[in-house]
Amino acid sequence: MDTDGLTFACATTAEERVAKRSGLRAVRVGVRAANGVPAGRLVSFGLAGALRDGLGVGVVLDATRVVDEHGATLWEGGPLGAAGAQEATVLGSDVLVHDPLERKRLHESSGADAVDMESGVLARSGQLAGVVRAISDDVTSAVEGVDTTVRPDGRTDAFGLLRWLGGKRTDAVRSVFGAIVALKALERAVA
């Protein structure tokens, strides 16, 4: 994968750490790029939720399209060549999609394979050069409340994380382990 001249835009500190450990130029843009969109050619890099069956936790996607919830193309381009990644279409959402039925509905309405909250913002900036995302939650995952664990700037909200783990114990533990598996898969894909 040729990363020359690319900046890997990450929503969270965990995603940023993975990118930097892999020797990539990375910046934490926050949730929905709350910290702003940096200059230059950008790669949307991090975790995503599956919108269709067949995308298990840890599957890495190298997107060739970013679409909105109606399937309108926001960006289109070639894959970046992440090792072992599948080509895919990513839905750039304005909200966290936590409900399995909503995930399936969005797949049907948009044709997208996975969803994240940064790719759409980056695509609309006109600076997107690619998208490399790993599935952290499959299509059946219920991740309601996970948004309370991350601050808009991408830093972990420790109290929010503890409340979420306490209130959604089974789903939360599944989601945390899914994120760990996905982050390791991302690291392997860009090594």
Side-chain angles (χ1 to χ4, degrees):
M1 184 167 84
D2 181 12
T3 63
D4 190 42
L6 299 175
T7 298
F8 285 69
C10 309
T12 68
T13 54
E15 295 164 344
E16 182 184 30
R17 275 194 303 271
V18 166
K20 287 184 175 180
R21 264 197 320 260
S22 300
L24 304 172
R25 181 175 36 200
V27 63
R28 182 171 29 93
V29 297
V31 178
R32 293 205 68 248
N35 300 341
V37 176
R41 296 179 57 228
L42 305 174
V43 175
S44 179
F45 184 79
L47 304 180
L51 293 181
R52 67 167 174 83
D53 291 325
L55 289 179
V57 170
V59 170
V60 177
L61 306 177
D62 194 344
T64 56
R65 284 184 50 210
V66 175
V67 298
D68 68 13
E69 67 181 53
H70 305 291
T73 300
L74 303 175
W75 171 84
E76 195 163 17
L80 294 173
Q86 296 181 21
E87 289 186 23
T89 297
V90 171
L91 168 65
S93 180
D94 292 334
V95 296
L96 176 71
V97 181
H98 58 80
D99 179 68
L101 293 176
E102 178 66 1
R103 289 174 189 232
K104 288 181 181 184
R105 185 195 72 76
L106 285 169
H107 171 65
E108 291 169 5
S109 69
S110 70
D113 302 297
V115 61
D116 72 52
M117 293 175 56
E118 293 72 41
S119 293
V121 175
L122 298 172
R124 287 180 181 99
S125 77
Q127 298 167 236
L128 192 62
V131 178
V132 177
R133 294 279 175 161
I135 300 297
S136 58
D137 296 288
D138 67 26
V139 74
T140 65
S141 298
V143 294
E144 183 176 8
V146 72
D147 50 332
T148 64
T149 69
V150 178
R151 295 184 175 133
D153 69 1
R155 291 180 298 135
T156 301
D157 182 331
F159 292 118
L161 179 61
L162 291 173
R163 280 191 304 274
W164 181 63
L165 285 169
K168 301 282 185 182
R169 192 170 317 234
T170 302
D171 290 332
V173 169
R174 179 180 177 201
S175 187
V176 167
F177 281 114
I180 292 168
V181 168
L183 289 167
K184 287 180 181 180
L186 267 180
E187 195 163 4
R188 285 189 302 272
V190 296

